[in-house]
Structures are given as structure tokens and as C-alpha cells.
Amino acid sequence: MIIHRPDRHIRAALAVLLTLGVLSGGGAALAQTATPSDHNWVPLLAGDSDHLVLAQVRPAESRLFGRGVTDNFTLRAAVDAPLAWCVSAAERLYVFVDDGRFFSLIDNSWTVERNLPDMALPAQISAHDALVYALVTPAIAARLPALLPADKAATTQPFDPGSASLCITRFDSRGWAGLAPCPESVTPSQEQRLAPRVGWFSDQPALFWVTGEDGVLNYATLDTDQPHWSPPSVVPDIPHVRGFWITTVSRVPTLVIAALRDGGGEQLLALRYLGSQRTGRAQWRATDLHLTNPPNDLRAGRYEQAIGFNQHLALLVTGQPATPFLQFGRIDAQPAEPSLLIDDIVTGRNSPPEGPRWVQSVTVMVLFGVLIALFVFRRGAMVQIIELPESIAVALTLQRLIAALIDLAPFLIVFAFFFGLDWQSTMQDLFGWAAGTDAASGKLPPVKALAWWGSSTGAYSCYALIMELATRRTLGKVLLGTRVISERLAPASAMQIVVRNISRFVELLPPLWVLLFLLVLSRNHQRTGDIFARTIVIRRTSLPPIESDNDDEEDEQV
């Protein structure tokens, strides 16, 4: 009997930025039971790019905890038996319980699906789009109908497994059908981390398996129109494989490998399959993998699973001492997700700390404080045009933005090198905070990202203050031909320069970037600092030639 425990998927609300009003708050994967810890249960992980599911597998019951991109793990459903496999396909979760029953879960509602013959359990399970694929023994595959080429409907003809040790089968709304026998060199493995797995290159199934005592990793792709396997290939330069997982990260097939270190223990490697398999120009490329620190000073002892989720790798790890935890990795950038103890997830202690919510509240208060001050003290600055001589004009918004970028960019690059960050991917994290998607869910960017942005913008603000006090211009303003003056058309005073530059510390906070819209909305293209300092940024204009008084006198004499 399946126990349904409704727990609606609550997504964080996104606030909308409108004119001056602003936000309030800122391939499928597979799993089998991991190595048991000291608990009377084991974790099991499944997910895809948008969803992550953790199963707490007990002898008499399994509980499922799920999360999306912007929320935290919450209890979603339960089943009255230990799970053997679970896999995420589109927005549906498919599970095998240990007695062979097969179910699907969508919107916290269970559906009984068609079992494999004799209620057999698969050797491995995977998914692509809304279809489930399983590796089964020839005896089970021979009792299934054969699938027509090109992924068409199953026939009434029995599937022929040939002499293969394993076969690929496919599940859709009509049930299970045989897809293709595996190459003869593919055999089952007692070590689940080394068991053959199905992955995907575009729309082609790919099979991965390990051969030899040193753990050589092989792969081949299946042409479903035939069906026909390509000649096996070897994944290069990966000796002593102790575990592997094929997943998708940012739509790129990614191979995650746990390999034996020379001095003992495991190291985690990542390879991406770049190029086109059909043109023959694709190849595996090793890539940098940045991992979050394990929680509570644990050490990563054994990697159990790896799943692509939200541009990250979600890693199920058995720590040392034997404590399971969830670790996150990111390719060519620092992860935006923190490591989590599995105990904290199943007990509901994985909620974010109150700090981010406190920061969110303060940000909203500062924002509305600025808006109220503008309305009370400088309301006319939004609508009144400052009369300027014909020789000058208010600087264009694009001019000001380019000048600011010229001044800010060197600080961003230098401090990114100092903190060891990829500034482009880190900016994406800051944009998520600025847009409110992360702040609304109570999540801040990584500490390193905040330190990088704070150091860069702080140094930039000090630089702009010193340069404008000395020359009323920064390097960017010199190159773009702009200058700071008072609204009274006199040189800006030292106090005005100080006020307009101190305000940068507020304006450059990502949740307050919306204040930059004042450059467009105000009649004199003034940012917040200019409005309160009563300054404007001007540019020179070219004037038409003016006839001299002597020319007029000559005309009168004529």
C-alpha cells in the first residue's frame, strides 16, 4: 500500500520591480541505496536540473524530501516499503520498491505503474525526457515486446536479447519494451558504483561500463534507428575508477568519476562531452570542479552519487567519520549551494539562517527610506529641467554607464584574482540576489562573492571620491568627455563630491541596483547621489558658427 502524504510544493514568491516601487526581498538522474551509516536508514538521491529528491530509506518505510531551485528540502511523500531505485523524469518521480513494485509520483499523488516481468528489479535505471530506461537481465528482457526502431511503439514480437548479459528496456505510458541488447563486454557488477549506466548524448542513448582490474571506463552510443552500437571507446586518462555517474549539467553531458588517489582515498573528477556526436567531432574534456566544504569539519570518505541540479552537481557523500552529507560542486565557478548534513534535511533543520531574512528586511527598509527622502526633500528633481548654457548638455545615460564600467572593471578583475573567483559566474549569483529570486527564498550569494563585490565597489568608491575631489573627473569621465558640476552651474563643492560618492555604497548593493533607473527616469539623468548632492554630470556640445558683429555692420553699409 502506498501512503500519500500531501505536502504542497511551496515556491518562493518573486517581487516585481516597477518604476520606483521595488521588490520586497530582493538528463535525469538515478539512484540506489548508498552505503549505510550508523543510522537505521540509508539515503538515496534522485533529481534533474530543476528538482532534487532525497529519500530516507528505512526497513519498513521510505520518506521523500524534495526541493526546487529556490526553496529548501521539505517532506513530500512516503511509501510503506524500502526503496530500491528512484529516478526523476520530467516532473514525475519513478520508484522501485524492494519487492519489485513500480510507482510514479507527481504532485504528491502516487500512481501504480506496470511492473517488470516477475516483479524483477532492474540492474540500473535512468531517464530521459519523460521516458524511463532500465538495464535488465536477458531472461527478463525476453519476456518483453520488442520496440520498433526510431522509438516507435512496441510490437507484438518478443524481444531477442541474443547473447548479451544485460539489455536496455524502455518504459512509457504503454508499459515496458525491449530496446537493445548491450554489447557483450558489458556485464553486471556487484559494486553498484561500478555498475553499467545509461546516459545521453543529445537524443542518443550512451552506455558506460568498467572493464579490467584497474577500472578502465568504456562507452558506446546506440543508433536507435538500427538499433546498432558504435564501437566501444575508452574515456581517456582516468585510471583506477572506483565509481562513476553520467549526468547533465547546464545541458552538457557530464561524467563524474571517483578515482583512487595515489596515496589512498578518493578524488572526484569531472569531464564534459563537448561537440557533436553525430559529426564525430565531440570529445571529453576535463574541467575544474569546485566543491563546497564538508559540514562540521567532516572529510569526504566515499562518493555515492552525483546528479546535475541547477548548474551544480549534487553529491551524496559518506563522510569520515561515517556520516552522510550532501555536497555541491560547480564547474569553473564557486558553488552557490552550501553542504548539508543528511540528518539536517530529514529532521527539517536545513532551513536558511535568519541572517539572510534580516538582511532582506533591512534592504527593503533602506530602499523605501531612500524613496521617501526623494519624495519629501527632492521631489522636484524628478521633473524640473535644469537650464544649461548652449555649450553644455546633460551627459547621456549610456555615457555615464560606460564611464562607470571603465572605472569599476579594473577593481572587479583585480579582486576576482585575489579571491580566486570567476567574476563572470559570480556576477550571475549577484544578479540572482539583485533580481530577488535568491533573496526572496532567504538565500544570499556565497561569502566569497559578497566579499569580492564589497571590496571591489568599496575601492572603486574611494577612487572616485579622491579623483573627483582633485579634478572633478575620473578616468572614465575623461575618456567619455563628461564632468561633475553643481546644479547652480558652478564647480561642485567638496561636500557635494563627498555626498555623491558616499551614496555609491548604497546604490551598488545588488538589491538596490534598481535605483539606477533614476538615471533614465529623472529629467536631468541624475542618480540618487546626484539628486541628494545637487550635482549633475555634463558633456560639451558643438555649436553652429555665429556671425560676427563686423559682418553685420558691413551688410548695413551695403
Side-chain angles (χ1 to χ4, degrees), residues 230-316:
S230 67
S233 301
V234 176
V235 177
D237 303 327
I238 307 295
H240 309 302
V241 175
R242 290 296 177 264
F244 71 94
W245 302 269
I246 179 69
T247 185
T248 301
V249 180
S250 299
R251 300 184 181 181
V252 177
T254 303
L255 188 58
V256 184
I257 301 172
L260 185 66
R261 293 182 184 271
D262 293 336
E266 292 183 353
Q267 61 178 331
L268 200 65
L269 308 173
L271 293 89
R272 308 184 82 193
Y273 196 70
L274 302 175
S276 173
Q277 171 70 19
R278 296 187 181 276
T279 62
R281 296 180 179 178
Q283 61 179 332
W284 291 104
R285 293 185 183 177
T287 184
D288 293 333
L289 183 60
H290 302 273
L291 300 176
T292 54
N293 294 324
N296 295 359
D297 298 324
L298 295 173
R299 290 185 295 114
R302 176 182 167 102
Y303 293 97
E304 308 292 351
Q305 289 179 247
I307 290 172
F309 167 70
N310 187 28
Q311 301 180 352
H312 289 68
L313 283 169
L315 305 165
L316 182 59

Side-chain angles (χ1 to χ4, degrees), residues 331-346:
I331 294 171
D332 298 329
Q334 294 297 324
E337 300 277 354
S339 296
L340 296 170
L341 289 172
I342 301 299
D343 272 342
D344 289 347
I345 295 175
V346 300

Side-chain angles (χ1 to χ4, degrees), residues 400-451:
R400 299 196 59 180
L401 292 177
I402 294 176
L405 182 60
I406 292 173
D407 291 327
L408 177 59
F411 296 101
L412 295 176
I413 295 172
V414 168
F415 280 98
F417 177 79
F418 176 79
F419 285 104
L421 295 175
D422 177 2
W423 70 270
Q424 293 175 313
S425 60
T426 308
M427 282 299 297
Q428 294 179 358
D429 295 331
L430 294 175
F431 274 114
W433 187 30
T437 55
D438 289 344
S441 62
K443 183 172 64 177
L444 288 176
V447 174
K448 269 192 175 182
L450 294 175

